[in-house]
Amino acid sequence: MSVTETDYRDAISRFLSGVTVITTRHGSEIQGITATAVTSVTLQPPTLLVCLNRQSATCRTLIESGQFAVNVLGANQQDLAQRFATKQPDKFAGVPTTAGVTGAPLITGALAHLECRVSAQNDVGTHRIFFGEVLSVAVAEGRPLGYFRGKFSALPP
Ligand SMILES: Cc1cc2nc3c(=O)[nH]c(=O)nc-3n(C[C@H](O)[C@H](O)[C@H](O)COP(=O)(O)O)c2cc1C
Protein backbone atom coordinates (compact mmCIF):
# COMPACT_ATOMS: atom_id res chain seq x y z
CA MET A 1 0.00 0.00 0.00
CA SER A 2 1.50 3.35 -0.98
CA VAL A 3 0.75 6.81 0.39
CA THR A 4 0.42 9.55 -2.20
CA GLU A 5 1.97 12.99 -1.77
CA THR A 6 -1.55 14.44 -1.38
CA ASP A 7 -2.50 11.92 1.30
CA TYR A 8 0.71 12.57 3.22
CA ARG A 9 0.32 16.36 3.00
CA ASP A 10 -3.33 16.13 4.09
CA ALA A 11 -2.41 14.10 7.17
CA ILE A 12 0.77 15.91 8.24
CA SER A 13 -0.90 19.33 7.82
CA ARG A 14 -3.06 18.37 10.81
CA PHE A 15 0.06 18.43 12.98
CA LEU A 16 -0.11 21.90 14.55
CA SER A 17 3.24 23.64 14.37
CA GLY A 18 4.85 26.87 15.44
CA VAL A 19 6.35 29.10 12.77
CA THR A 20 9.98 30.17 12.54
CA VAL A 21 12.29 32.07 10.25
CA ILE A 22 15.68 30.42 9.93
CA THR A 23 18.38 32.98 9.19
CA THR A 24 22.05 32.64 8.35
CA ARG A 25 24.98 34.79 7.31
CA HIS A 26 27.99 33.83 5.24
CA GLY A 27 30.34 36.76 4.65
CA SER A 28 28.21 39.61 3.34
CA GLU A 29 25.36 37.30 2.29
CA ILE A 30 22.30 36.97 4.50
CA GLN A 31 19.40 34.59 3.88
CA GLY A 32 16.17 33.72 5.64
CA ILE A 33 13.43 31.14 5.16
CA THR A 34 10.07 30.50 6.81
CA ALA A 35 10.21 27.01 8.31
CA THR A 36 7.94 24.82 10.40
CA ALA A 37 10.20 21.75 10.20
CA VAL A 38 11.97 22.56 13.47
CA THR A 39 12.21 20.12 16.37
CA SER A 40 14.01 19.96 19.67
CA VAL A 41 16.28 16.89 19.74
CA THR A 42 18.08 16.71 23.09
CA LEU A 43 18.99 18.83 26.10
CA GLN A 44 22.51 17.41 26.46
CA PRO A 45 23.99 19.07 24.55
CA PRO A 46 21.13 21.47 23.73
CA THR A 47 20.33 20.49 20.16
CA LEU A 48 17.54 21.11 17.67
CA LEU A 49 17.04 20.15 14.06
CA VAL A 50 15.72 21.99 11.03
CA CYS A 51 14.83 20.50 7.63
CA LEU A 52 15.42 22.62 4.55
CA ASN A 53 14.74 21.91 0.91
CA ARG A 54 18.11 21.72 -0.83
CA GLN A 55 16.72 24.01 -3.60
CA SER A 56 16.37 26.77 -1.01
CA ALA A 57 18.82 29.67 -1.22
CA THR A 58 18.95 29.69 2.58
CA CYS A 59 19.89 26.00 2.63
CA ARG A 60 22.80 26.62 0.25
CA THR A 61 24.11 29.54 2.34
CA LEU A 62 23.65 27.59 5.58
CA ILE A 63 25.79 24.76 4.20
CA GLU A 64 28.53 27.35 3.60
CA SER A 65 28.22 29.16 6.93
CA GLY A 66 27.69 26.16 9.20
CA GLN A 67 25.66 28.39 11.52
CA PHE A 68 22.07 29.58 11.77
CA ALA A 69 19.49 31.23 13.98
CA VAL A 70 15.93 30.06 14.65
CA ASN A 71 13.58 33.03 15.10
CA VAL A 72 10.31 31.83 16.69
CA LEU A 73 7.59 34.12 15.36
CA GLY A 74 4.91 35.79 17.43
CA ALA A 75 1.23 36.04 16.47
CA ASN A 76 1.78 39.59 15.17
CA GLN A 77 4.51 38.49 12.74
CA GLN A 78 2.43 36.67 10.12
CA ASP A 79 3.53 39.22 7.52
CA LEU A 80 7.14 38.12 8.10
CA ALA A 81 6.18 34.45 7.80
CA GLN A 82 4.62 35.21 4.41
CA ARG A 83 7.54 37.35 3.26
CA PHE A 84 10.22 34.79 4.18
CA ALA A 85 8.22 32.06 2.41
CA THR A 86 8.97 33.82 -0.91
CA LYS A 87 12.13 33.93 -2.98
CA GLN A 88 12.15 37.73 -3.33
CA PRO A 89 15.75 38.94 -3.15
CA ASP A 90 15.15 41.76 -0.64
CA LYS A 91 13.37 39.79 2.09
CA PHE A 92 15.21 41.65 4.86
CA ALA A 93 14.37 45.15 3.55
CA GLY A 94 12.71 47.11 6.34
CA VAL A 95 12.86 44.17 8.77
CA PRO A 96 14.49 45.24 12.05
CA THR A 97 17.25 42.81 13.03
CA THR A 98 20.33 42.66 15.20
CA ALA A 99 23.41 40.52 14.60
CA GLY A 100 23.73 37.46 16.81
CA VAL A 101 26.91 35.78 18.04
CA THR A 102 27.01 33.74 14.82
CA GLY A 103 26.41 36.85 12.71
CA ALA A 104 22.97 35.54 11.70
CA PRO A 105 20.24 38.20 11.70
CA LEU A 106 17.98 38.03 14.76
CA ILE A 107 14.50 39.33 13.94
CA THR A 108 13.37 41.97 16.42
CA GLY A 109 10.13 41.09 18.20
CA ALA A 110 10.46 37.31 17.78
CA LEU A 111 9.37 35.20 20.78
CA ALA A 112 12.71 33.42 20.90
CA HIS A 113 16.06 33.38 19.19
CA LEU A 114 18.14 30.21 19.23
CA GLU A 115 21.55 30.47 17.61
CA CYS A 116 23.17 27.27 16.51
CA ARG A 117 26.30 25.74 15.05
CA VAL A 118 25.70 22.82 12.69
CA SER A 119 26.84 19.68 14.52
CA ALA A 120 25.62 17.10 11.99
CA GLN A 121 23.66 16.98 8.75
CA ASN A 122 22.00 14.40 6.58
CA ASP A 123 20.06 14.37 3.30
CA VAL A 124 16.65 12.71 3.10
CA GLY A 125 14.76 12.92 -0.19
CA THR A 126 14.61 16.56 -1.32
CA HIS A 127 15.64 17.95 2.06
CA ARG A 128 18.69 18.36 4.25
CA ILE A 129 18.38 17.89 8.00
CA PHE A 130 20.69 20.14 9.98
CA PHE A 131 21.31 19.35 13.62
CA GLY A 132 22.23 22.53 15.46
CA GLU A 133 23.98 22.74 18.80
CA VAL A 134 22.42 25.73 20.52
CA LEU A 135 25.04 28.34 21.41
CA SER A 136 22.88 31.20 22.58
CA VAL A 137 19.22 31.92 23.34
CA ALA A 138 17.03 34.94 24.02
CA VAL A 139 13.33 34.97 24.86
CA ALA A 140 10.40 37.40 25.00
CA GLU A 141 6.75 37.16 26.08
CA GLY A 142 3.79 37.08 23.71
CA ARG A 143 1.35 34.94 21.76
CA PRO A 144 2.85 32.47 19.29
CA LEU A 145 2.04 32.17 15.58
CA GLY A 146 0.70 28.73 14.63
CA TYR A 147 0.26 26.88 11.33
CA PHE A 148 -2.48 24.29 10.82
CA ARG A 149 -3.91 22.81 7.60
CA GLY A 150 -2.20 25.44 5.45
CA LYS A 151 -3.35 28.45 7.47
CA PHE A 152 -1.67 30.73 9.98
CA SER A 153 -3.39 31.40 13.27
CA ALA A 154 -2.66 33.26 16.48
CA LEU A 155 -2.47 30.86 19.41
CA PRO A 156 -3.17 31.55 23.08
CA PRO A 157 -0.11 32.46 25.12
C1 LIG B 1 4.24 27.88 6.88
C2 LIG B 1 5.40 27.50 6.00
C3 LIG B 1 6.34 26.60 6.48
C4 LIG B 1 7.43 26.22 5.69
N1 LIG B 1 8.35 25.35 6.20
C5 LIG B 1 9.43 25.01 5.47
C6 LIG B 1 10.42 24.15 6.01
O1 LIG B 1 10.33 23.70 7.16
N2 LIG B 1 11.50 23.83 5.23
C7 LIG B 1 11.64 24.31 3.94
O2 LIG B 1 12.63 23.98 3.28
N3 LIG B 1 10.71 25.15 3.41
C8 LIG B 1 9.63 25.51 4.14
N4 LIG B 1 8.70 26.38 3.62
C9 LIG B 1 8.90 26.90 2.26
C10 LIG B 1 9.93 28.06 2.19
O3 LIG B 1 9.63 29.07 3.14
C11 LIG B 1 9.97 28.67 0.77
O4 LIG B 1 10.27 27.66 -0.16
C12 LIG B 1 10.94 29.86 0.62
O5 LIG B 1 10.58 30.57 -0.53
C13 LIG B 1 12.40 29.45 0.48
O6 LIG B 1 13.15 30.63 0.38
P1 LIG B 1 14.70 30.64 -0.03
O7 LIG B 1 14.86 29.85 -1.32
O8 LIG B 1 15.03 32.11 -0.22
O9 LIG B 1 15.49 30.04 1.09
C14 LIG B 1 7.59 26.77 4.39
C15 LIG B 1 6.63 27.68 3.90
C16 LIG B 1 5.55 28.04 4.71
C17 LIG B 1 4.55 29.04 4.18
Side-chain angles (χ1 to χ4, degrees):
M1 219 163 68
S2 69
V3 174
T4 66
E5 210 172 290
T6 308
D7 290 340
Y8 174 61
R9 193 191 291 268
D10 196 34
I12 200 66
S13 71
R14 285 164 166 79
F15 181 63
L16 171 69
S17 52
V19 183
T20 75
V21 174
I22 310 293
T23 56
T24 190
R25 174 186 290 275
H26 182 61
S28 61
E29 192 183 353
I30 57 169
Q31 296 287 352
I33 178 174
T34 298
T36 50
V38 176
T39 302
S40 175
V41 175
T42 177
L43 287 176
Q44 292 179 345
T47 302
L48 55 75
L49 67 76
V50 303
C51 304
L52 298 186
N53 191 311
R54 291 198 302 280
Q55 301 290 332
S56 145
T58 308
C59 182
R60 289 195 289 270
T61 302
L62 205 163
I63 289 169
E64 297 295 318
S65 72
Q67 306 184 108
F68 63 96
V70 178
N71 298 266
V72 179
L73 296 186
N76 60 349
Q77 294 181 308
Q78 186 178 325
D79 55 332
L80 292 181
Q82 278 156 338
R83 177 195 286 231
F84 281 92
T86 68
K87 288 191 171 288
Q88 67 185 73
D90 58 344
K91 285 194 252 190
F92 285 93
V95 178
T97 61
T98 55
V101 293
T102 66
L106 306 181
I107 295 174
T108 304
L111 286 190
H113 301 124
L114 300 103
E115 286 194 82
C116 304
R117 149 189 100 73
V118 175
S119 55
Q121 49 192 297
N122 200 20
D123 288 344
V124 178
T126 52
H127 280 57
R128 178 162 297 198
I129 305 169
F130 296 95
F131 292 86
E133 182 174 351
V134 181
L135 306 175
S136 167
V137 297
V139 296
E141 300 306 320
R143 301 173 69 194
L145 183 63
Y147 194 68
F148 182 72
R149 297 192 71 185
K151 293 197 174 69
F152 295 102
S153 60
L155 298 173

Coordinates of all heavy atoms in Angstrom, one line a residue, residues 19-21 32-35 73-88 91 95 107 145-147 150-153:
V19 N 5.8 28.6 14.0 CA 6.4 29.1 12.8 C 7.7 29.8 13.1 O 7.7 30.6 14.1 CB 5.4 30.1 12.1 CG1 5.9 30.5 10.7 CG2 4.0 29.4 11.9
T20 N 8.7 29.5 12.3 CA 10.0 30.2 12.5 C 10.5 30.8 11.2 O 10.0 30.4 10.1 CB 11.0 29.1 13.0 OG1 11.5 28.3 11.9 CG2 10.5 28.3 14.1
V21 N 11.4 31.7 11.4 CA 12.3 32.1 10.2 C 13.7 31.7 10.6 O 14.2 32.1 11.7 CB 12.2 33.6 10.0 CG1 13.2 34.0 8.9 CG2 10.8 34.0 9.5
G32 N 17.2 34.1 4.7 CA 16.2 33.7 5.6 C 15.0 33.0 5.0 O 14.7 33.2 3.8
I33 N 14.5 32.0 5.7 CA 13.4 31.1 5.2 C 12.4 30.8 6.2 O 12.8 30.5 7.4 CB 14.0 29.8 4.6 CG1 12.9 28.9 4.1 CG2 14.9 29.1 5.7 CD1 13.5 27.6 3.4
T34 N 11.1 30.9 5.9 CA 10.1 30.5 6.8 C 10.1 29.0 6.9 O 10.2 28.3 5.9 CB 8.7 30.9 6.3 OG1 8.7 32.4 6.2 CG2 7.6 30.4 7.2
A35 N 10.1 28.5 8.1 CA 10.2 27.0 8.3 C 9.4 26.5 9.5 O 9.4 27.2 10.6 CB 11.7 26.6 8.5
L73 N 8.4 32.9 15.6 CA 7.6 34.1 15.4 C 6.4 34.2 16.3 O 5.8 33.2 16.7 CB 7.1 34.1 13.9 CG 8.1 34.1 12.8 CD1 7.4 34.2 11.5 CD2 9.1 35.3 13.0
G74 N 6.1 35.5 16.6 CA 4.9 35.8 17.4 C 3.7 35.9 16.5 O 3.8 36.0 15.3
A75 N 2.5 36.0 17.2 CA 1.2 36.0 16.5 C 1.1 37.3 15.6 O 0.4 37.3 14.6 CB 0.1 36.0 17.5
N76 N 1.8 38.3 15.9 CA 1.8 39.6 15.2 C 2.8 39.6 14.0 O 3.0 40.7 13.5 CB 2.0 40.8 16.1 CG 3.3 40.7 16.8 OD1 4.0 39.7 16.8 ND2 3.7 41.8 17.5
Q77 N 3.5 38.5 13.8 CA 4.5 38.5 12.7 C 4.2 37.6 11.5 O 5.1 37.1 10.8 CB 5.8 38.0 13.4 CG 6.3 39.0 14.4 CD 7.7 38.6 15.0 OE1 7.8 37.5 15.5 NE2 8.6 39.5 15.0
Q78 N 2.9 37.5 11.3 CA 2.4 36.7 10.1 C 3.0 37.3 8.8 O 3.3 36.5 7.9 CB 0.9 36.6 10.1 CG 0.4 35.6 9.0 CD -1.1 35.5 9.0 OE1 -1.7 35.5 10.1 NE2 -1.7 35.3 7.8
D79 N 3.0 38.6 8.7 CA 3.5 39.2 7.5 C 5.0 38.8 7.2 O 5.3 38.5 6.1 CB 3.4 40.8 7.6 CG 4.2 41.3 8.9 OD1 4.3 40.6 9.9 OD2 4.7 42.4 8.8
L80 N 5.8 38.6 8.3 CA 7.1 38.1 8.1 C 7.2 36.7 7.6 O 8.0 36.3 6.8 CB 7.9 38.3 9.4 CG 8.2 39.7 9.8 CD1 9.0 39.7 11.1 CD2 8.9 40.5 8.8
A81 N 6.3 35.9 8.2 CA 6.2 34.4 7.8 C 5.9 34.4 6.3 O 6.5 33.5 5.6 CB 5.1 33.7 8.6
Q82 N 5.0 35.2 5.8 CA 4.6 35.2 4.4 C 5.8 35.7 3.5 O 6.1 35.2 2.5 CB 3.4 36.0 4.2 CG 2.1 35.2 4.5 CD 0.9 36.0 4.9 OE1 1.0 37.2 5.3 NE2 -0.3 35.4 4.8
R83 N 6.4 36.8 4.0 CA 7.5 37.3 3.3 C 8.7 36.4 3.1 O 9.3 36.2 2.0 CB 8.0 38.6 4.0 CG 9.2 39.2 3.3 CD 9.9 40.2 4.2 NE 9.1 41.5 4.3 CZ 9.7 42.7 4.1 NH1 10.9 42.8 3.8 NH2 8.9 43.7 4.3
F84 N 9.1 35.7 4.2 CA 10.2 34.8 4.2 C 9.9 33.4 3.6 O 10.7 32.6 3.4 CB 10.8 34.6 5.6 CG 11.7 35.8 5.9 CD1 11.2 36.9 6.6 CD2 13.0 35.9 5.5 CE1 12.0 38.0 6.9 CE2 13.8 37.0 5.8 CZ 13.3 38.0 6.5
A85 N 8.6 33.3 3.2 CA 8.2 32.1 2.4 C 8.3 32.3 0.9 O 7.9 31.5 0.1 CB 6.8 31.6 2.8
T86 N 8.8 33.5 0.5 CA 9.0 33.8 -0.9 C 10.5 33.8 -1.3 O 11.3 33.6 -0.4 CB 8.5 35.2 -1.2 OG1 9.3 36.2 -0.6 CG2 7.0 35.4 -0.7
K87 N 10.7 33.9 -2.5 CA 12.1 33.9 -3.0 C 12.6 35.3 -3.4 O 13.6 35.5 -4.1 CB 12.3 32.9 -4.1 CG 12.3 31.5 -3.7 CD 12.7 30.5 -4.7 CE 12.9 29.1 -4.2 NZ 14.0 29.0 -3.3
Q88 N 11.8 36.4 -3.0 CA 12.2 37.7 -3.3 C 13.5 38.0 -2.8 O 13.9 37.6 -1.7 CB 11.1 38.7 -2.9 CG 11.0 38.9 -1.4 CD 9.8 39.8 -1.0 OE1 8.7 39.4 -1.1 NE2 10.2 41.0 -0.5
K91 N 14.3 40.2 1.0 CA 13.4 39.8 2.1 C 13.6 40.5 3.4 O 12.7 40.7 4.2 CB 13.5 38.3 2.3 CG 12.9 37.4 1.3 CD 12.7 36.0 1.8 CE 13.7 35.1 1.0 NZ 13.4 33.7 1.3
V95 N 13.1 45.1 7.6 CA 12.9 44.2 8.8 C 13.9 44.5 9.8 O 15.1 44.3 9.6 CB 13.0 42.7 8.4 CG1 12.8 41.8 9.6 CG2 12.0 42.3 7.3
I107 N 15.6 38.5 14.3 CA 14.5 39.3 13.9 C 13.9 39.9 15.2 O 13.5 39.2 16.1 CB 13.4 38.5 13.2 CG1 14.0 38.1 11.8 CG2 12.2 39.3 13.0 CD1 13.1 37.2 11.0
L145 N 2.7 32.4 16.9 CA 2.0 32.2 15.6 C 2.0 30.7 15.3 O 3.0 30.0 15.5 CB 2.8 32.9 14.5 CG 2.3 32.8 13.1 CD1 0.9 33.5 13.0 CD2 3.2 33.5 12.1
G146 N 0.8 30.2 14.9 CA 0.7 28.7 14.6 C 0.4 28.5 13.1 O 0.1 29.4 12.4
Y147 N 0.6 27.3 12.7 CA 0.3 26.9 11.3 C -0.4 25.5 11.4 O 0.1 24.6 11.9 CB 1.6 26.8 10.5 CG 1.4 26.8 9.1 CD1 0.9 27.9 8.4 CD2 1.7 25.6 8.3 CE1 0.8 27.8 7.0 CE2 1.6 25.6 7.0 CZ 1.1 26.7 6.3 OH 1.0 26.6 4.9
G150 N -2.5 24.4 6.5 CA -2.2 25.4 5.4 C -2.6 26.9 5.8 O -2.5 27.8 5.0
K151 N -3.0 27.1 7.1 CA -3.4 28.4 7.5 C -2.6 28.9 8.7 O -2.4 28.1 9.6 CB -4.9 28.5 7.7 CG -5.7 28.3 6.5 CD -7.1 28.8 6.7 CE -8.0 28.8 5.5 NZ -8.3 27.4 5.0
F152 N -2.3 30.2 8.8 CA -1.7 30.7 10.0 C -2.8 31.0 11.0 O -3.9 31.4 10.6 CB -0.9 32.0 9.7 CG 0.3 31.8 8.8 CD1 0.2 32.1 7.4 CD2 1.5 31.3 9.3 CE1 1.3 31.9 6.6 CE2 2.6 31.1 8.5 CZ 2.5 31.4 7.1
S153 N -2.4 30.9 12.3 CA -3.4 31.4 13.3 C -2.6 31.8 14.5 O -1.6 31.3 14.9 CB -4.4 30.3 13.6 OG -3.7 29.2 14.1

